[in-house]
Amino acid sequence: MTRKRIALGFSVLGIVLMGVDMMVTRDFFVHVGELMVASLVCLALGIFIDREKKGEAGKKSP
């Protein structure tokens, strides 16, 4: 359960950073490089942490 919460936190942080980037530049096609990279890294970490190992998928209990 902890991994899911950490992954959700990184994903939300990535979306928030994208929103901050949009508010700073006020343009969809122009970005602040540092914010864009930080948001993409956060989203990638969220996806990576949320992934389950091959053997763990069948071990979950309802």
Side-chain angles (χ1 to χ4, degrees):
M1 187 66 160
T2 305
R3 288 180 56 164
K4 297 283 185 185
R5 289 184 183 182
I6 292 171
L8 181 65
F10 274 118
S11 299
V12 169
L13 181 61
I15 298 296
V16 168
L17 287 173
M18 281 185 188
V20 169
D21 184 25
M22 294 287 287
M23 289 180 8
V24 168
T25 60
R26 296 183 182 179
D27 191 3
F28 185 76
F29 297 105
V30 178
H31 300 282
V32 176
E34 291 84 2
L35 286 174
M36 184 180 70
V37 169
S39 66
L40 290 175
V41 167
C42 284
L43 288 172
L45 273 173
I47 292 170
F48 180 74
I49 292 172
D50 191 45
R51 284 185 23 192
E52 294 180 352
K53 295 179 183 173
K54 290 183 180 180
E56 289 182 15
K59 293 182 182 178
K60 284 187 172 180
S61 61

